[in-house]
Amino acid sequence: MIERAAILSTGDEITTGKVVDTNANYLADKLVEAGVEVAAVLTVGDVAERIVWAWQQAIQQADVIISTGGIGPTADDLTTELVAKVAGVGLFFSEEVANNIRRVFASLNRPMPENNLKQAQFPVGATIISNHLGTAPGYRVDLDTPHGRKHLIILPGVPREMKPMMEETVLPWLREMRGGSDVFLTRTFQTFGISESGLDEAVKGTVSEEEGRLAFRASFPQISMRVTVRGQAHEVEARLEELSNRIRSRISQYVYGEGDVTMEDVVGKLLKEQGKTLSIAEAVSGGLVTHRLTNVPGSSSYFHGAVIAYADTAKTHLLGVKPGTLRQHGAVSEETVREMAAGVRERLGSSIGVAVTGIAGPDGGTPEKPVGTVCLALAADSLLVSRRYQLWGNREWIKTLVSQLALDWVRRALLGVTINESGFIRR
């Protein structure tokens, strides 16, 4: 029976800070959803002694250890030979996997370097996990150790290859092996406009330890909160619904969606349902709002387009902002951003026009308009609303926050709720 897991990430690129280990976050999230406790997360560089040490530590802590990385074709990919060493077995060569690798290169009309065949080697006794998106299959090794029956699962470090292998093969196997009659159910609330500590305080007392567990995750610019319940199948679904209702009663003004959804997903769904269209005028965000909107498949059905207008001449010629408005109030002002929103809506013929302008820094701030000053406006039918905010952080942070605010304004407008109160400091 599998109850506890450990996650092991290997690679110098992670320990030197050149790559952020998002795999560990993803795996931990999926394991908890599957009802498996994550006992430890270990990260080590491409040094044989440290990798062996990490495997030995993980085997003592967990029933299943999931490792990512280190199964590529290069000399620093050491995982397979070290897993075999830890397991006390030799390696075998899979001709079937080797032929698959050869076929991949042939389909690309490229010669195959011989070192790619390193990916066809596995510890003796391993169960191979197919990789449909790359040349490095994963595998599972089951071991009887002094600490009990252990399962070592090795996956590629490339997220686009690892995630499908986890969801299509590993998770179904884990659920089967976890055993027991208890059922785990989870619900995730996506929030914006409240801090992690504020969210914790807001939901305090809604879920007792006997009823379920709450977990928080800050993933700028939103905060996710997940409630997990465990119990018998006949009652656990009703309990999750009851706890969710309690949570909603406390934080509904901050929740923009439930489940694995983004703000742009929610906005797109609402626009489509209501038959509305949207256009954007972007200055400070440099096209980021447009980028996020167009990441959603099918967005062409409701997104008319955008004008990226940094220079005053672009605001005047492309959006119809009056030169007098710019002279009197400046490019970063509620007066200018209102004309930008109305202008883009009219010129692109959309139901809703949204505009953003501001100072992302690090230069360009003044005592009256310091770095982080941002103005937003939304125009729709008889509605024209604007607001000035004072945001914080570096240039990238401010651009990301502005894009989230702009999308949240559209969401609020479509839901008919107050659109310019998102919990942020403003002037």
Side-chain angles (χ1 to χ4, degrees), residues 306-325:
V307 174
I308 315 299
Y310 264 53
D312 286 355
T313 51
K315 294 181 178 69
T316 300
H317 294 148
L318 300 177
L319 296 170
V321 177
K322 299 182 183 70
T325 303

Side-chain angles (χ1 to χ4, degrees), residues 215-274:
F216 302 84
R217 187 173 72 174
S219 179
F220 181 76
Q222 67 268 355
I223 308 290
S224 302
M225 186 185 69
R226 179 177 58 209
V227 56
T228 302
V229 296
R230 174 180 183 174
Q232 296 298 301
H234 69 275
E235 61 87 21
V236 71
E237 191 168 339
R239 177 148 49 94
L240 178 63
E241 195 57 44
E242 180 187 343
L243 297 182
S244 298
N245 287 335
R246 288 185 209 164
I247 292 167
R248 290 190 196 100
S249 70
R250 297 276 189 91
I251 61 168
S252 61
Q253 68 268 41
Y254 302 109
V255 175
Y256 68 80
E258 296 183 10
D260 189 18
V261 296
T262 64
M263 185 72 85
E264 48 268 37
D265 289 330
V266 174
V267 168
K269 184 171 182 289
L270 288 170
L271 285 166
K272 192 177 289 187
E273 287 174 350
Q274 297 183 21

Side-chain angles (χ1 to χ4, degrees), residues 133-396:
L133 298 174
T135 58
Y139 55 90
R140 190 187 80 240
V141 177
D142 304 317
L143 285 181
D144 288 315
T145 76
H147 308 285
R149 184 77 166 166
K150 305 292 179 176
H151 308 278
L152 320 183
I153 295 176
I154 293 82
L155 298 174
V158 180
R160 66 179 288 272
E161 299 177 23
M162 180 273 291
K163 290 181 179 179
M165 297 166 74
M166 181 71 183
E167 296 183 17
E168 294 168 9
T169 304
V170 178
L171 284 174
W173 174 84
L174 266 177
R175 292 190 180 98
E176 183 180 344
M177 293 294 293
R178 185 172 58 78
S181 59
D182 281 359
V183 173
F184 286 79
L185 292 180
T186 67
R187 183 161 295 162
T188 302
F189 297 87
Q190 307 291 351
T191 74
F192 175 64
I194 187 171
S195 67
E196 188 174 9
S197 58
L199 190 60
D200 182 38
E201 188 68 25
V203 300
K204 189 175 182 179
T206 55
V207 179
S208 69
E209 289 185 10
E210 295 74 25
E211 293 174 312
R213 292 176 58 183
L214 291 177
F216 302 84
R217 187 173 72 174
S219 179
F220 181 76
Q222 67 268 355
I223 308 290
S224 302
M225 186 185 69
R226 179 177 58 209
V227 56
T228 302
V229 296
R230 174 180 183 174
Q232 296 298 301
H234 69 275
E235 61 87 21
V236 71
E237 191 168 339
R239 177 148 49 94
L240 178 63
E241 195 57 44
E242 180 187 343
L243 297 182
S244 298
N245 287 335
R246 288 185 209 164
I247 292 167
R248 290 190 196 100
S249 70
R250 297 276 189 91
I251 61 168
S252 61
Q253 68 268 41
Y254 302 109
V255 175
Y256 68 80
E258 296 183 10
D260 189 18
V261 296
T262 64
M263 185 72 85
E264 48 268 37
D265 289 330
V266 174
V267 168
K269 184 171 182 289
L270 288 170
L271 285 166
K272 192 177 289 187
E273 287 174 350
Q274 297 183 21
K276 300 286 182 63
T277 55
L278 175 66
S279 56
I280 305 287
E282 299 196 60
V284 64
S285 50
L288 184 56
V289 183
T290 300
H291 172 70
R292 293 180 59 179
L293 282 166
T294 55
N295 278 342
V296 180
S299 53
S300 60
S301 66
Y302 51 79
F303 181 55
H304 276 196
V307 174
I308 315 299
Y310 264 53
D312 286 355
T313 51
K315 294 181 178 69
T316 300
H317 294 148
L318 300 177
L319 296 170
V321 177
K322 299 182 183 70
T325 303
L326 289 166
R327 280 196 303 273
Q328 184 176 354
H329 301 285
V332 180
S333 65
E334 289 191 58
E335 289 80 3
T336 293
V337 82
R338 281 200 296 269
E339 292 186 16
M340 291 171 64
V344 78
R345 176 175 180 256
E346 178 186 354
R347 296 188 176 207
L348 295 186
S350 58
S351 312
I352 300 171
V354 171
V356 295
T357 184
I359 306 166
D363 303 317
T366 66
E368 295 75 25
K369 297 177 182 177
V371 169
T373 301
V374 167
C375 295
L376 273 77
L378 184 145
D381 295 331
S382 59
L383 180 66
L384 180 58
V385 61
S386 63
R387 179 70 71 185
R388 171 175 164 168
Y389 291 92
Q390 187 60 49
L391 307 183
W392 59 94
N394 60 25
R395 187 176 183 84
E396 183 180 2

Side-chain angles (χ1 to χ4, degrees), residues 11-30:
D12 288 344
E13 68 278 12
I14 301 173
T15 55
T16 56
K18 292 181 179 177
V19 171
V20 177
D21 183 16
T22 58
N23 285 350
N25 285 343
Y26 164 81
L27 290 170
D29 196 51
K30 292 298 177 184

